[in-house]
Amino acid sequence: MNKKNISWSIRIVVALLFIVSAIAKLYPSPYFAISTFEVKQLYTLGFSDSLAPYFSRILIGIEFALGFLLLNNHFLKRITIPATVGLLSVFIIHLSYVAFLSGGNSGNCGCFGELIPMTPIEAIIKNIIAVGLLIWLWKILENDKKSNIWMLISVTLGCILGLFMLAPMKASSTSISNSNDNINISTDSISKLTDSVKIEEIKTIDSSKIITEKAVEEVKKEVGPKQAVSGYADLYTDIDKGQKILCFFVPGCEHCRDAAKDLHALQKKHKDFPQVQIVFMDEEAEKIPDFFKYAGKQFPYKVIDIIPFWTKLGTGKDTPGVVYLYNGNVIKFYDGIAEKSFNSKALEKVIYK
């Protein structure tokens, strides 16, 4: 294989890697996927809730642009390849930090959004291989000939603007609903009552309270009458009393709908099954009626804004989230669609073992 064929093979492979990565970050819907990316990647890096929505769209737009620019010859060796290597290097450094904190072998790094779950270690390996291919490409390419800088600028700006058009900025609002009524409260109204509430002030669940299945019976005997504070009482005031199932769902999420359907089946099977209460993320809320139609039952529910939703769900966790609580103690926490995903048979075993 001559150098020309090798160079084009590398360009196509890496270009597809960037384009698929950008497309995957728009799954299952652009606004939901980008919002998830913001919470999982940008807020943890210190981006404010006002800056993150802009930066996320710009970054994904640049991913699209680099994918397309790798397939044309304008400033390929002088600008496009170095810029691509630089971006991958930043990703490698960030993922290395995430892997150091989490162990690297669990959770979804978000490189391919929710479409293709990938651990930080897997993503680091993928990016290192891509950097190696690009360095090889840079070495075998001839120097750039006459190039048009406006081609680079036009493609980059076009991709970025396209992201803003595909997923326009959304006004922040908090909506709370249940099976009996619907209440919509704007952020401005809330601020008048409570001044300013910082996201950092929202309490998340203490991971030390999570108990393995093997110790469920011992825990029930030990903490049965004892009351704990789960951190969810601001969502449902009775959540820390008795046995409860608290769910974190997205109205348009197929996996969330399946989980709700399975919970309904368990309720029909066991008359003493714990009460199920749902927290929906404020994304495609108009799909909630269809959600309950699919599930076969309308559970008590509330809808909260995107950032508080992910904050309550917990760092590193994905939807669907299903929490089994016993007097405020977290007995079991299912999340995502990987190894910790919700399993109705496993939950049934935990409750009725």
Side-chain angles (χ1 to χ4, degrees):
M1 185 180 290
N2 57 37
K3 289 184 177 180
K4 184 176 181 180
N5 290 335
I6 293 174
S7 66
W8 269 108
S9 297
I10 295 174
R11 289 167 70 177
I12 291 172
V13 168
V14 180
L16 286 175
L17 184 69
F18 271 78
I19 293 172
V20 171
S21 175
I23 293 174
K25 289 186 177 70
L26 305 181
Y27 172 86
S29 68
Y31 188 78
F32 164 62
I34 292 177
S35 300
T36 303
F37 172 71
E38 292 166 11
V39 174
K40 289 186 176 180
Q41 303 296 331
L42 302 184
Y43 290 114
T44 56
L45 293 176
F47 282 83
S48 66
D49 54 351
S50 59
L51 180 60
Y54 292 95
F55 188 82
S56 61
R57 287 159 175 77
I58 292 172
L59 185 58
I60 297 173
I62 289 174
E63 277 193 287
F64 268 119
L66 289 175
F68 294 133
L69 291 173
L70 283 168
L71 299 177
N72 74 71
N73 296 319
H74 294 279
F75 288 106
L76 179 62
K77 190 170 183 177
R78 290 172 58 188
I79 297 178
T80 303
I81 293 178
T84 307
V85 171
L87 185 60
L88 287 170
S89 299
V90 170
F91 288 159
I92 291 171
I93 293 171
H94 170 61
L95 289 167
S96 298
Y97 174 71
V98 172
F100 174 76
L101 294 179
S102 65
N105 293 319
S106 62
N108 180 13
C109 68
C111 295
F112 288 99
E114 303 299 310
L115 183 62
I116 308 175
M118 181 175 285
T119 66
I121 292 296
E122 292 171 340
I124 290 171
I125 295 172
K126 178 259 297 180
N127 288 343
I128 290 175
I129 293 174
V131 168
L133 289 173
L134 288 169
I135 292 175
W136 184 12
L137 175 63
W138 188 85
K139 288 184 177 180
I140 64 177
L141 279 177
E142 296 180 358
N143 291 330
D144 294 322
K145 297 179 181 179
K146 187 176 181 180
S147 299
N148 185 354
I149 190 65
W150 289 107
M151 173 64 72
L152 274 70
I153 295 174
S154 298
V155 171
T156 303
L157 290 179
C159 289
I160 293 173
L161 291 175
L163 258 296
F164 278 91
M165 293 175 65
L166 190 62
M169 305 298 291
K170 183 178 179 182
S172 177
S173 65
T174 300
S175 174
I176 302 176
S177 308
N178 56 43
S179 57
N180 298 318
D181 54 13
N182 291 299
I183 305 172
N184 293 313
I185 305 174
S186 67
T187 304
D188 292 337
S189 299
I190 293 175
S191 61
K192 291 178 181 178
L193 297 174
T194 62
D195 294 324
S196 59
V197 180
K198 296 182 179 179
I199 296 304
E200 293 80 6
E201 293 174 346
I202 300 177
K203 296 181 179 179
T204 56
I205 189 67
D206 185 353
S207 59
S208 65
K209 293 182 181 178
I210 298 178
I211 305 161
T212 62
E213 275 187 41
K214 295 180 180 179
V216 169
E217 286 304 309
E218 289 77 4
V219 169
K220 285 185 177 181
K221 292 177 183 179
E222 179 184 351
V223 305
K226 296 180 181 178
Q227 202 72 37
V229 178
S230 66
Y232 300 126
D234 56 332
L235 298 173
Y236 289 100
T237 56
D238 63 342
I239 196 69
D240 294 337
K241 297 178 181 179
Q243 299 185 71
K244 296 290 192 304
I245 304 292
L246 181 64
C247 304
F248 291 89
F249 290 155
V250 179
C253 169
E254 294 180 3
H255 299 288
C256 297
R257 294 186 177 203
D258 289 336
K261 190 173 184 178
D262 289 342
L263 287 169
H264 179 215
L266 287 176
Q267 277 195 337
K268 290 195 297 183
K269 182 178 180 181
H270 301 280
K271 293 183 179 179
D272 60 340
F273 191 78
Q275 182 183 10
V276 176
Q277 297 170 314
I278 295 176
V279 177
F280 281 119
M281 186 177 77
D282 189 13
E283 168 63 20
E284 299 182 314
E286 70 279 1
K287 293 184 178 180
I288 291 177
D290 289 335
F291 182 100
F292 287 128
K293 183 177 180 181
Y294 179 87
K297 178 180 179 179
Q298 180 166 323
F299 297 102
Y301 72 92
K302 293 187 177 182
V303 183
I304 63 175
D305 210 350
I306 294 171
I307 298 174
F309 177 90
W310 286 110
T311 304
K312 277 293 183 183
L313 179 58
T315 303
K317 291 184 171 59
D318 288 319
T319 55
V322 178
V323 190
Y324 169 43
L325 299 113
Y326 190 83
N327 281 351
N329 298 274
V330 176
I331 305 300
K332 194 66 181 177
F333 202 130
Y334 301 96
D335 76 281
I337 58 174
E339 68 275 4
K340 296 180 181 179
S341 62
F342 172 68
N343 183 301
S344 60
K345 292 183 178 179
L347 176 61
E348 184 179 27
K349 185 177 179 182
V350 169
I351 296 174
Y352 296 103
K353 183 177 178 181

PDB file of all heavy atoms in Angstrom, residues 125-155:
ATOM      1  N   ILE A 125      -7.503   4.774  25.615  1.00  0.00           N
ATOM      2  CA  ILE A 125      -6.844   3.897  24.634  1.00  0.00           C
ATOM      3  C   ILE A 125      -7.244   4.295  23.215  1.00  0.00           C
ATOM      4  O   ILE A 125      -6.396   4.395  22.317  1.00  0.00           O
ATOM      5  CB  ILE A 125      -7.200   2.420  24.898  1.00  0.00           C
ATOM      6  CG1 ILE A 125      -6.638   1.973  26.251  1.00  0.00           C
ATOM      7  CG2 ILE A 125      -6.689   1.522  23.772  1.00  0.00           C
ATOM      8  CD1 ILE A 125      -7.087   0.601  26.690  1.00  0.00           C
ATOM      9  N   LYS A 126      -8.546   4.552  23.025  1.00  0.00           N
ATOM     10  CA  LYS A 126      -9.032   4.966  21.706  1.00  0.00           C
ATOM     11  C   LYS A 126      -8.376   6.260  21.256  1.00  0.00           C
ATOM     12  O   LYS A 126      -7.940   6.396  20.101  1.00  0.00           O
ATOM     13  CB  LYS A 126     -10.553   5.115  21.778  1.00  0.00           C
ATOM     14  CG  LYS A 126     -11.225   5.589  20.496  1.00  0.00           C
ATOM     15  CD  LYS A 126     -11.558   7.062  20.548  1.00  0.00           C
ATOM     16  CE  LYS A 126     -12.557   7.392  21.634  1.00  0.00           C
ATOM     17  NZ  LYS A 126     -12.873   8.845  21.664  1.00  0.00           N
ATOM     18  N   ASN A 127      -8.263   7.231  22.149  1.00  0.00           N
ATOM     19  CA  ASN A 127      -7.671   8.529  21.802  1.00  0.00           C
ATOM     20  C   ASN A 127      -6.170   8.426  21.547  1.00  0.00           C
ATOM     21  O   ASN A 127      -5.638   9.109  20.670  1.00  0.00           O
ATOM     22  CB  ASN A 127      -7.948   9.536  22.916  1.00  0.00           C
ATOM     23  CG  ASN A 127      -9.403   9.967  22.964  1.00  0.00           C
ATOM     24  OD1 ASN A 127     -10.143   9.784  22.006  1.00  0.00           O
ATOM     25  ND2 ASN A 127      -9.818  10.529  24.078  1.00  0.00           N
ATOM     26  N   ILE A 128      -5.474   7.601  22.306  1.00  0.00           N
ATOM     27  CA  ILE A 128      -4.032   7.416  22.091  1.00  0.00           C
ATOM     28  C   ILE A 128      -3.774   6.807  20.716  1.00  0.00           C
ATOM     29  O   ILE A 128      -2.852   7.219  19.992  1.00  0.00           O
ATOM     30  CB  ILE A 128      -3.422   6.545  23.205  1.00  0.00           C
ATOM     31  CG1 ILE A 128      -3.409   7.317  24.528  1.00  0.00           C
ATOM     32  CG2 ILE A 128      -2.002   6.107  22.835  1.00  0.00           C
ATOM     33  CD1 ILE A 128      -2.927   6.498  25.712  1.00  0.00           C
ATOM     34  N   ILE A 129      -4.602   5.836  20.340  1.00  0.00           N
ATOM     35  CA  ILE A 129      -4.462   5.232  19.006  1.00  0.00           C
ATOM     36  C   ILE A 129      -4.707   6.276  17.924  1.00  0.00           C
ATOM     37  O   ILE A 129      -3.975   6.347  16.924  1.00  0.00           O
ATOM     38  CB  ILE A 129      -5.446   4.050  18.849  1.00  0.00           C
ATOM     39  CG1 ILE A 129      -5.049   2.898  19.781  1.00  0.00           C
ATOM     40  CG2 ILE A 129      -5.484   3.568  17.399  1.00  0.00           C
ATOM     41  CD1 ILE A 129      -6.044   1.759  19.804  1.00  0.00           C
ATOM     42  N   ALA A 130      -5.728   7.119  18.123  1.00  0.00           N
ATOM     43  CA  ALA A 130      -6.035   8.165  17.150  1.00  0.00           C
ATOM     44  C   ALA A 130      -4.891   9.163  17.031  1.00  0.00           C
ATOM     45  O   ALA A 130      -4.530   9.583  15.918  1.00  0.00           O
ATOM     46  CB  ALA A 130      -7.326   8.882  17.544  1.00  0.00           C
ATOM     47  N   VAL A 131      -4.286   9.542  18.164  1.00  0.00           N
ATOM     48  CA  VAL A 131      -3.136  10.460  18.136  1.00  0.00           C
ATOM     49  C   VAL A 131      -1.979   9.825  17.374  1.00  0.00           C
ATOM     50  O   VAL A 131      -1.306  10.474  16.562  1.00  0.00           O
ATOM     51  CB  VAL A 131      -2.702  10.837  19.569  1.00  0.00           C
ATOM     52  CG1 VAL A 131      -1.354  11.547  19.545  1.00  0.00           C
ATOM     53  CG2 VAL A 131      -3.749  11.731  20.225  1.00  0.00           C
ATOM     54  N   GLY A 132      -1.722   8.531  17.628  1.00  0.00           N
ATOM     55  CA  GLY A 132      -0.649   7.825  16.919  1.00  0.00           C
ATOM     56  C   GLY A 132      -0.880   7.809  15.415  1.00  0.00           C
ATOM     57  O   GLY A 132       0.067   8.037  14.631  1.00  0.00           O
ATOM     58  N   LEU A 133      -2.118   7.571  15.005  1.00  0.00           N
ATOM     59  CA  LEU A 133      -2.437   7.563  13.579  1.00  0.00           C
ATOM     60  C   LEU A 133      -2.233   8.948  12.957  1.00  0.00           C
ATOM     61  O   LEU A 133      -1.718   9.079  11.837  1.00  0.00           O
ATOM     62  CB  LEU A 133      -3.885   7.111  13.372  1.00  0.00           C
ATOM     63  CG  LEU A 133      -4.187   5.634  13.640  1.00  0.00           C
ATOM     64  CD1 LEU A 133      -5.693   5.380  13.563  1.00  0.00           C
ATOM     65  CD2 LEU A 133      -3.446   4.738  12.645  1.00  0.00           C
ATOM     66  N   LEU A 134      -2.622   9.989  13.692  1.00  0.00           N
ATOM     67  CA  LEU A 134      -2.474  11.351  13.172  1.00  0.00           C
ATOM     68  C   LEU A 134      -1.005  11.768  13.055  1.00  0.00           C
ATOM     69  O   LEU A 134      -0.623  12.471  12.108  1.00  0.00           O
ATOM     70  CB  LEU A 134      -3.241  12.332  14.064  1.00  0.00           C
ATOM     71  CG  LEU A 134      -4.768  12.269  13.950  1.00  0.00           C
ATOM     72  CD1 LEU A 134      -5.425  13.077  15.050  1.00  0.00           C
ATOM     73  CD2 LEU A 134      -5.218  12.776  12.576  1.00  0.00           C
ATOM     74  N   ILE A 135      -0.201  11.347  14.002  1.00  0.00           N
ATOM     75  CA  ILE A 135       1.236  11.650  13.920  1.00  0.00           C
ATOM     76  C   ILE A 135       1.846  10.945  12.718  1.00  0.00           C
ATOM     77  O   ILE A 135       2.671  11.521  11.983  1.00  0.00           O
ATOM     78  CB  ILE A 135       1.940  11.228  15.226  1.00  0.00           C
ATOM     79  CG1 ILE A 135       1.480  12.121  16.386  1.00  0.00           C
ATOM     80  CG2 ILE A 135       3.456  11.302  15.072  1.00  0.00           C
ATOM     81  CD1 ILE A 135       2.023  11.693  17.734  1.00  0.00           C
ATOM     82  N   TRP A 136       1.440   9.700  12.510  1.00  0.00           N
ATOM     83  CA  TRP A 136       1.896   8.954  11.332  1.00  0.00           C
ATOM     84  C   TRP A 136       1.452   9.667  10.057  1.00  0.00           C
ATOM     85  O   TRP A 136       2.235   9.841   9.116  1.00  0.00           O
ATOM     86  CB  TRP A 136       1.326   7.540  11.395  1.00  0.00           C
ATOM     87  CG  TRP A 136       1.792   6.614  10.295  1.00  0.00           C
ATOM     88  CD1 TRP A 136       2.814   6.821   9.404  1.00  0.00           C
ATOM     89  CD2 TRP A 136       1.227   5.345   9.955  1.00  0.00           C
ATOM     90  NE1 TRP A 136       2.931   5.765   8.547  1.00  0.00           N
ATOM     91  CE2 TRP A 136       1.972   4.840   8.853  1.00  0.00           C
ATOM     92  CE3 TRP A 136       0.180   4.586  10.475  1.00  0.00           C
ATOM     93  CZ2 TRP A 136       1.690   3.608   8.272  1.00  0.00           C
ATOM     94  CZ3 TRP A 136      -0.102   3.355   9.897  1.00  0.00           C
ATOM     95  CH2 TRP A 136       0.647   2.871   8.811  1.00  0.00           C
ATOM     96  N   LEU A 137       0.192  10.128  10.030  1.00  0.00           N
ATOM     97  CA  LEU A 137      -0.330  10.851   8.879  1.00  0.00           C
ATOM     98  C   LEU A 137       0.467  12.114   8.632  1.00  0.00           C
ATOM     99  O   LEU A 137       0.816  12.432   7.480  1.00  0.00           O
ATOM    100  CB  LEU A 137      -1.801  11.180   9.117  1.00  0.00           C
ATOM    101  CG  LEU A 137      -2.488  12.051   8.058  1.00  0.00           C
ATOM    102  CD1 LEU A 137      -2.525  11.345   6.709  1.00  0.00           C
ATOM    103  CD2 LEU A 137      -3.914  12.409   8.500  1.00  0.00           C
ATOM    104  N   TRP A 138       0.770  12.854   9.694  1.00  0.00           N
ATOM    105  CA  TRP A 138       1.511  14.113   9.563  1.00  0.00           C
ATOM    106  C   TRP A 138       2.893  13.870   8.948  1.00  0.00           C
ATOM    107  O   TRP A 138       3.370  14.670   8.140  1.00  0.00           O
ATOM    108  CB  TRP A 138       1.652  14.758  10.937  1.00  0.00           C
ATOM    109  CG  TRP A 138       2.227  16.148  10.903  1.00  0.00           C
ATOM    110  CD1 TRP A 138       1.568  17.320  10.709  1.00  0.00           C
ATOM    111  CD2 TRP A 138       3.613  16.491  11.042  1.00  0.00           C
ATOM    112  NE1 TRP A 138       2.437  18.381  10.732  1.00  0.00           N
ATOM    113  CE2 TRP A 138       3.715  17.899  10.939  1.00  0.00           C
ATOM    114  CE3 TRP A 138       4.776  15.753  11.257  1.00  0.00           C
ATOM    115  CZ2 TRP A 138       4.922  18.571  11.025  1.00  0.00           C
ATOM    116  CZ3 TRP A 138       5.990  16.416  11.348  1.00  0.00           C
ATOM    117  CH2 TRP A 138       6.053  17.823  11.237  1.00  0.00           C
ATOM    118  N   LYS A 139       3.517  12.764   9.302  1.00  0.00           N
ATOM    119  CA  LYS A 139       4.865  12.459   8.808  1.00  0.00           C
ATOM    120  C   LYS A 139       4.884  12.065   7.338  1.00  0.00           C
ATOM    121  O   LYS A 139       5.838  12.380   6.609  1.00  0.00           O
ATOM    122  CB  LYS A 139       5.485  11.343   9.649  1.00  0.00           C
ATOM    123  CG  LYS A 139       5.876  11.778  11.059  1.00  0.00           C
ATOM    124  CD  LYS A 139       6.567  10.643  11.808  1.00  0.00           C
ATOM    125  CE  LYS A 139       7.018  11.100  13.186  1.00  0.00           C
ATOM    126  NZ  LYS A 139       7.707  10.004  13.932  1.00  0.00           N
ATOM    127  N   ILE A 140       3.854  11.348   6.875  1.00  0.00           N
ATOM    128  CA  ILE A 140       3.869  10.859   5.493  1.00  0.00           C
ATOM    129  C   ILE A 140       3.251  11.848   4.506  1.00  0.00           C
ATOM    130  O   ILE A 140       3.414  11.696   3.298  1.00  0.00           O
ATOM    131  CB  ILE A 140       3.147   9.504   5.367  1.00  0.00           C
ATOM    132  CG1 ILE A 140       1.661   9.634   5.701  1.00  0.00           C
ATOM    133  CG2 ILE A 140       3.816   8.460   6.249  1.00  0.00           C
ATOM    134  CD1 ILE A 140       0.884   8.341   5.524  1.00  0.00           C
ATOM    135  N   LEU A 141       2.567  12.872   5.022  1.00  0.00           N
ATOM    136  CA  LEU A 141       1.967  13.857   4.121  1.00  0.00           C
ATOM    137  C   LEU A 141       3.006  14.829   3.588  1.00  0.00           C
ATOM    138  O   LEU A 141       3.973  15.191   4.278  1.00  0.00           O
ATOM    139  CB  LEU A 141       0.883  14.649   4.848  1.00  0.00           C
ATOM    140  CG  LEU A 141      -0.506  14.014   4.997  1.00  0.00           C
ATOM    141  CD1 LEU A 141      -1.403  14.930   5.810  1.00  0.00           C
ATOM    142  CD2 LEU A 141      -1.138  13.725   3.641  1.00  0.00           C
ATOM    143  N   GLU A 142       2.777  15.275   2.375  1.00  0.00           N
ATOM    144  CA  GLU A 142       3.613  16.330   1.824  1.00  0.00           C
ATOM    145  C   GLU A 142       3.165  17.657   2.427  1.00  0.00           C
ATOM    146  O   GLU A 142       2.069  17.776   2.981  1.00  0.00           O
ATOM    147  CB  GLU A 142       3.461  16.381   0.299  1.00  0.00           C
ATOM    148  CG  GLU A 142       3.947  15.112  -0.397  1.00  0.00           C
ATOM    149  CD  GLU A 142       3.766  15.205  -1.900  1.00  0.00           C
ATOM    150  OE1 GLU A 142       3.233  16.246  -2.370  1.00  0.00           O
ATOM    151  OE2 GLU A 142       4.128  14.250  -2.596  1.00  0.00           O
ATOM    152  N   ASN A 143       4.019  18.658   2.329  1.00  0.00           N
ATOM    153  CA  ASN A 143       3.669  19.976   2.858  1.00  0.00           C
ATOM    154  C   ASN A 143       2.446  20.524   2.134  1.00  0.00           C
ATOM    155  O   ASN A 143       2.210  20.235   0.954  1.00  0.00           O
ATOM    156  CB  ASN A 143       4.841  20.952   2.707  1.00  0.00           C
ATOM    157  CG  ASN A 143       5.998  20.583   3.623  1.00  0.00           C
ATOM    158  OD1 ASN A 143       5.780  20.024   4.700  1.00  0.00           O
ATOM    159  ND2 ASN A 143       7.214  20.874   3.193  1.00  0.00           N
ATOM    160  N   ASP A 144       1.668  21.344   2.851  1.00  0.00           N
ATOM    161  CA  ASP A 144       0.458  21.919   2.263  1.00  0.00           C
ATOM    162  C   ASP A 144       0.813  22.774   1.057  1.00  0.00           C
ATOM    163  O   ASP A 144       1.790  23.547   1.080  1.00  0.00           O
ATOM    164  CB  ASP A 144      -0.264  22.791   3.297  1.00  0.00           C
ATOM    165  CG  ASP A 144      -0.792  21.961   4.459  1.00  0.00           C
ATOM    166  OD1 ASP A 144      -1.254  20.835   4.204  1.00  0.00           O
ATOM    167  OD2 ASP A 144      -0.739  22.442   5.595  1.00  0.00           O
ATOM    168  N   LYS A 145      -0.011  22.625   0.043  1.00  0.00           N
ATOM    169  CA  LYS A 145       0.147  23.471  -1.128  1.00  0.00           C
ATOM    170  C   LYS A 145      -0.746  24.691  -0.952  1.00  0.00           C
ATOM    171  O   LYS A 145      -1.064  25.072   0.158  1.00  0.00           O
ATOM    172  CB  LYS A 145      -0.192  22.672  -2.387  1.00  0.00           C
ATOM    173  CG  LYS A 145       0.753  21.484  -2.614  1.00  0.00           C
ATOM    174  CD  LYS A 145       0.380  20.703  -3.846  1.00  0.00           C
ATOM    175  CE  LYS A 145       1.325  19.507  -4.018  1.00  0.00           C
ATOM    176  NZ  LYS A 145       0.977  18.691  -5.215  1.00  0.00           N
ATOM    177  N   LYS A 146      -1.196  25.284  -1.992  1.00  0.00           N
ATOM    178  CA  LYS A 146      -2.033  26.473  -1.878  1.00  0.00           C
ATOM    179  C   LYS A 146      -3.333  26.115  -1.169  1.00  0.00           C
ATOM    180  O   LYS A 146      -4.078  25.239  -1.594  1.00  0.00           O
ATOM    181  CB  LYS A 146      -2.326  27.036  -3.266  1.00  0.00           C
ATOM    182  CG  LYS A 146      -3.053  28.381  -3.225  1.00  0.00           C
ATOM    183  CD  LYS A 146      -3.223  28.931  -4.624  1.00  0.00           C
ATOM    184  CE  LYS A 146      -3.937  30.279  -4.576  1.00  0.00           C
ATOM    185  NZ  LYS A 146      -4.119  30.845  -5.937  1.00  0.00           N
ATOM    186  N   SER A 147      -3.598  26.786  -0.051  1.00  0.00           N
ATOM    187  CA  SER A 147      -4.783  26.483   0.744  1.00  0.00           C
ATOM    188  C   SER A 147      -5.611  27.738   0.974  1.00  0.00           C
ATOM    189  O   SER A 147      -5.109  28.860   0.901  1.00  0.00           O
ATOM    190  CB  SER A 147      -4.370  25.876   2.089  1.00  0.00           C
ATOM    191  OG  SER A 147      -3.667  24.661   1.901  1.00  0.00           O
ATOM    192  N   ASN A 148      -6.867  27.514   1.287  1.00  0.00           N
ATOM    193  CA  ASN A 148      -7.809  28.615   1.513  1.00  0.00           C
ATOM    194  C   ASN A 148      -8.236  28.598   2.980  1.00  0.00           C
ATOM    195  O   ASN A 148      -8.960  27.700   3.417  1.00  0.00           O
ATOM    196  CB  ASN A 148      -9.019  28.461   0.590  1.00  0.00           C
ATOM    197  CG  ASN A 148      -9.977  29.632   0.695  1.00  0.00           C
ATOM    198  OD1 ASN A 148      -9.813  30.518   1.532  1.00  0.00           O
ATOM    199  ND2 ASN A 148     -10.976  29.645  -0.169  1.00  0.00           N
ATOM    200  N   ILE A 149      -7.795  29.591   3.753  1.00  0.00           N
ATOM    201  CA  ILE A 149      -8.122  29.653   5.175  1.00  0.00           C
ATOM    202  C   ILE A 149      -9.615  29.833   5.403  1.00  0.00           C
ATOM    203  O   ILE A 149     -10.166  29.400   6.428  1.00  0.00           O
ATOM    204  CB  ILE A 149      -7.336  30.808   5.857  1.00  0.00           C
ATOM    205  CG1 ILE A 149      -7.493  30.724   7.385  1.00  0.00           C
ATOM    206  CG2 ILE A 149      -7.823  32.147   5.328  1.00  0.00           C
ATOM    207  CD1 ILE A 149      -6.881  29.504   7.993  1.00  0.00           C
ATOM    208  N   TRP A 150     -10.295  30.440   4.424  1.00  0.00           N
ATOM    209  CA  TRP A 150     -11.733  30.662   4.583  1.00  0.00           C
ATOM    210  C   TRP A 150     -12.520  29.352   4.537  1.00  0.00           C
ATOM    211  O   TRP A 150     -13.629  29.276   5.054  1.00  0.00           O
ATOM    212  CB  TRP A 150     -12.246  31.638   3.516  1.00  0.00           C
ATOM    213  CG  TRP A 150     -11.773  33.030   3.773  1.00  0.00           C
ATOM    214  CD1 TRP A 150     -10.828  33.730   3.085  1.00  0.00           C
ATOM    215  CD2 TRP A 150     -12.204  33.883   4.829  1.00  0.00           C
ATOM    216  NE1 TRP A 150     -10.634  34.961   3.639  1.00  0.00           N
ATOM    217  CE2 TRP A 150     -11.480  35.096   4.718  1.00  0.00           C
ATOM    218  CE3 TRP A 150     -13.133  33.763   5.856  1.00  0.00           C
ATOM    219  CZ2 TRP A 150     -11.653  36.158   5.592  1.00  0.00           C
ATOM    220  CZ3 TRP A 150     -13.311  34.817   6.723  1.00  0.00           C
ATOM    221  CH2 TRP A 150     -12.582  35.996   6.592  1.00  0.00           C
ATOM    222  N   MET A 151     -11.937  28.348   3.925  1.00  0.00           N
ATOM    223  CA  MET A 151     -12.576  27.033   3.942  1.00  0.00           C
ATOM    224  C   MET A 151     -12.647  26.500   5.367  1.00  0.00           C
ATOM    225  O   MET A 151     -13.688  26.008   5.823  1.00  0.00           O
ATOM    226  CB  MET A 151     -11.800  26.063   3.050  1.00  0.00           C
ATOM    227  CG  MET A 151     -12.294  24.620   3.137  1.00  0.00           C
ATOM    228  SD  MET A 151     -13.987  24.395   2.539  1.00  0.00           S
ATOM    229  CE  MET A 151     -13.719  24.598   0.776  1.00  0.00           C
ATOM    230  N   LEU A 152     -11.537  26.614   6.115  1.00  0.00           N
ATOM    231  CA  LEU A 152     -11.501  26.163   7.498  1.00  0.00           C
ATOM    232  C   LEU A 152     -12.470  26.960   8.360  1.00  0.00           C
ATOM    233  O   LEU A 152     -13.221  26.402   9.160  1.00  0.00           O
ATOM    234  CB  LEU A 152     -10.081  26.285   8.067  1.00  0.00           C
ATOM    235  CG  LEU A 152      -9.139  25.108   7.818  1.00  0.00           C
ATOM    236  CD1 LEU A 152      -8.754  25.033   6.346  1.00  0.00           C
ATOM    237  CD2 LEU A 152      -7.885  25.248   8.671  1.00  0.00           C
ATOM    238  N   ILE A 153     -12.448  28.280   8.174  1.00  0.00           N
ATOM    239  CA  ILE A 153     -13.303  29.146   8.982  1.00  0.00           C
ATOM    240  C   ILE A 153     -14.779  28.872   8.695  1.00  0.00           C
ATOM    241  O   ILE A 153     -15.600  28.766   9.617  1.00  0.00           O
ATOM    242  CB  ILE A 153     -12.972  30.630   8.721  1.00  0.00           C
ATOM    243  CG1 ILE A 153     -11.541  30.931   9.199  1.00  0.00           C
ATOM    244  CG2 ILE A 153     -13.976  31.533   9.423  1.00  0.00           C
ATOM    245  CD1 ILE A 153     -11.070  32.330   8.844  1.00  0.00           C
ATOM    246  N   SER A 154     -15.123  28.725   7.420  1.00  0.00           N
ATOM    247  CA  SER A 154     -16.520  28.514   7.034  1.00  0.00           C
ATOM    248  C   SER A 154     -17.056  27.194   7.569  1.00  0.00           C
ATOM    249  O   SER A 154     -18.179  27.130   8.098  1.00  0.00           O
ATOM    250  CB  SER A 154     -16.657  28.542   5.505  1.00  0.00           C
ATOM    251  OG  SER A 154     -16.267  29.794   4.994  1.00  0.00           O
ATOM    252  N   VAL A 155     -16.262  26.122   7.427  1.00  0.00           N
ATOM    253  CA  VAL A 155     -16.698  24.802   7.897  1.00  0.00           C
ATOM    254  C   VAL A 155     -16.860  24.813   9.415  1.00  0.00           C
ATOM    255  O   VAL A 155     -17.856  24.313   9.962  1.00  0.00           O
ATOM    256  CB  VAL A 155     -15.701  23.710   7.471  1.00  0.00           C
ATOM    257  CG1 VAL A 155     -16.038  22.378   8.161  1.00  0.00           C
ATOM    258  CG2 VAL A 155     -15.722  23.531   5.958  1.00  0.00           C
TER     259      VAL A 155
END
